[in-house]
Amino acid sequence: MKLKDRIFSKEEINTERQWELDLARAVIIFCLALIHCTIECTSDEGLTSGIPYLFDTVIGGPFSAPMYMFVMGVGMAYTKNNTPEQHFKRGVRIFVLGYILNICRFLIPYLIGYGITGDYAVYMEPLLYKVLCNDILTFAGLAMMLLSLFMKLKLSNGMMLAIATVMCAFGTVFNGVDVQNPLGNIFLGYLIGTEDAAGMVLSDFPVLNWMLFPTFGYAFAAVLKRVKDKKLFYLTVSLPAILIAIVYFTYGIINEVGMFGEGQNCYYHMVFSDVLASLTLTVGMVGVNYLIFQILPEKMFYIAWTISENITAVYFTHWVLVSFIVNVCIYIARGTTELAPWTVMILGTAISIVSIVIAVYWNKWTNRRKLDAKTT
């Protein structure tokens, strides 16, 4: 029997929950507070080596957001609520949630910090850019709406990938645009990577550069649904993928090129070659997560599923806690946000655990209220 026939079925048979993706999301969401605490509590010089470099540039680089967006695309194909209209409405909700998050993690704590300290340069000068900036929730909402449009137009997976590839190529070419207007740079930065001379613009995860991740995830799901031997599939696909990615990223780290160059925009305004390499790593890591799940105790299934199901709430909660604790409490108490690496790890771990607990109980409470509303 040919290898292809051993791996794939002609019909969609692998349509149940994909536990390896739950594990991938759980690991990402747990690491987020560690990553963001590291960025917020470490000097620019400190981020260039050691544990801070590991969490900021490596774990917080190709291992995090690319997987997050890839898994979102896969989830859109696997969910039972999968009509274009349902995806579009969810995209709108996530997009709006991105602005609510910016209010809760920037506007409110920064106004509190300014009211207490009067420090205009720290709290007020960057406030407009931070409140209106596009973050991964904003991008996720836009990407979900765009994918829902592709579905509505009944485009093939190949056509979706072709469009997303062209978008990424354009994003690479037009990186670093400055239209000489703050609001212009902010809102154009949702689509392409914008910058300004002062370094104030936060154009993170522009759609053109990043759209390939959820699109590839959506197309990958169509393949995954026909897999009948997942172990053989991942050994065949993920092993060479992760080896290729290791070579590419080792070269990038040693030579400080691509997403490992100087400045955060090397990552957020990811170029086409880095996108392809990150997708390769992502496919490799999905296989690694599958193999890990085979040896995990059954209790870990529930933990990973619980965290994965509450990923948006955990993301929202952890950022609010990070901002209030670091930018208000620590800065006001010490006059700086910088902490020793071991302190950052303890703080990040604590915030991760608290965020997960809060998110789980928040969603339980809101779901109970919805159920009570339906029965009354």
Side-chain angles (χ1 to χ4, degrees):
M1 184 182 294
K2 293 181 180 180
L3 180 62
K4 179 181 177 181
D5 295 330
R6 292 168 59 193
I7 296 175
F8 297 105
S9 168
K10 294 181 180 180
E11 307 295 331
E12 292 186 351
I13 59 171
N14 183 31
T15 57
E16 300 302 318
R17 192 168 199 94
Q18 305 303 298
W19 292 101
E20 64 272 20
L21 299 180
D22 282 319
L23 178 60
R25 289 206 292 189
V27 171
I28 292 168
I29 205 66
F30 188 85
C31 288
L32 282 179
L34 292 163
I35 293 167
H36 293 140
C37 281
T38 297
I39 296 170
E40 296 290 324
C41 298
T42 309
S43 65
D44 291 342
E45 183 180 355
L47 291 173
T48 61
S49 62
I51 292 176
Y53 181 83
L54 175 66
F55 277 93
D56 174 39
T57 306
V58 182
I59 297 175
F63 282 91
S64 56
M67 176 68 82
Y68 185 97
M69 288 295 98
F70 169 86
V71 173
M72 186 190 84
V74 176
M76 289 179 69
Y78 268 89
T79 183
K80 295 177 181 178
N81 302 312
N82 61 357
T83 67
E85 292 76 15
Q86 289 171 318
H87 285 311
F88 187 86
K89 289 178 181 177
R90 184 161 184 262
V92 171
R93 288 197 298 269
I94 293 175
F95 181 80
V96 173
L97 187 63
Y99 280 112
I100 297 173
L101 174 59
N102 285 349
I103 291 171
C104 293
R105 67 171 169 164
F106 292 132
L107 182 61
I108 295 174
Y110 275 51
L111 289 177
I112 292 172
Y114 179 68
I116 295 173
T117 67
D119 195 330
Y120 184 87
V122 169
Y123 290 113
M124 300 305 292
E125 189 174 348
L127 191 57
L128 175 68
Y129 294 92
K130 288 182 176 292
V131 172
L132 296 179
C133 77
N134 57 311
D135 188 47
I136 201 163
L137 282 185
T138 316
F139 166 73
L142 291 171
M144 192 169 289
M145 286 186 272
L146 189 54
L147 272 174
S148 71
L149 176 61
F150 291 167
M151 296 174 203
K152 186 69 175 179
L153 294 174
K154 298 182 179 180
L155 300 182
S156 67
N157 289 340
M159 182 58 70
M160 293 184 191
L161 286 172
I163 293 172
T165 300
V166 172
M167 290 172 64
C168 187
F170 270 95
T172 298
V173 171
F174 292 104
N175 264 343
V177 169
D178 181 359
V179 298
Q180 306 295 319
N181 178 276
L183 290 177
N185 280 327
I186 289 170
F187 291 112
L188 183 61
Y190 288 28
L191 300 178
I192 62 175
T194 55
E195 300 179 29
D196 64 2
M200 299 290 284
V201 179
L202 297 174
S203 173
D204 299 345
F205 308 106
V207 171
L208 289 181
N209 300 65
W210 284 79
M211 189 63 198
L212 194 53
F213 289 106
T215 307
F216 185 84
Y218 184 80
F220 183 86
V223 176
L224 192 59
K225 286 180 178 181
R226 296 195 302 108
V227 172
K228 60 183 180 181
D229 189 333
K230 290 179 71 174
K231 183 176 181 180
L232 182 57
F233 171 71
Y234 284 125
L235 286 173
T236 304
V237 174
S238 296
L239 182 58
I242 204 165
L243 292 175
I244 293 170
I246 287 172
V247 172
Y248 181 91
F249 290 124
T250 299
Y251 177 84
I253 291 170
I254 292 173
N255 294 280
E256 298 182 352
V257 295
M259 71 169 70
F260 302 104
E262 184 177 354
Q264 64 179 6
N265 283 339
C266 290
Y267 173 69
Y268 290 120
H269 301 172
M270 196 180 294
V271 299
F272 186 59
S273 59
D274 284 341
V275 169
L276 293 182
S278 297
L279 280 172
T280 304
L281 176 66
T282 297
V283 172
M285 289 307 300
V286 172
V288 171
N289 280 291
Y290 173 78
L291 295 177
I292 291 174
F293 230 108
Q294 306 310 301
I295 59 175
L296 287 178
E298 190 171 337
K299 191 174 292 186
M300 292 299 297
F301 286 35
Y302 175 74
I303 294 174
W305 173 78
T306 301
I307 297 174
S308 177
E309 282 290 288
N310 295 279
I311 189 169
T312 302
V314 176
Y315 182 85
F316 189 104
T317 306
H318 102 275
W319 252 128
V320 174
L321 291 176
V322 167
S323 186
F324 269 96
I325 292 171
V326 174
N327 295 313
V328 179
C329 299
I330 293 177
Y331 182 79
I332 292 174
R334 304 180 71 245
T336 178
T337 59
E338 292 184 26
L339 299 172
W342 66 269
T343 308
V344 174
M345 294 298 101
I346 294 173
L347 177 63
T349 301
I351 290 176
S352 286
I353 294 171
V354 171
S355 298
I356 291 168
V357 172
I358 291 174
V360 169
Y361 279 97
W362 169 263
N363 281 339
K364 282 184 178 180
W365 179 71
T366 54
N367 290 336
R368 191 179 300 118
R369 287 192 64 188
K370 290 178 183 177
L371 183 62
D372 290 342
K374 287 181 180 180
T375 56
T376 56

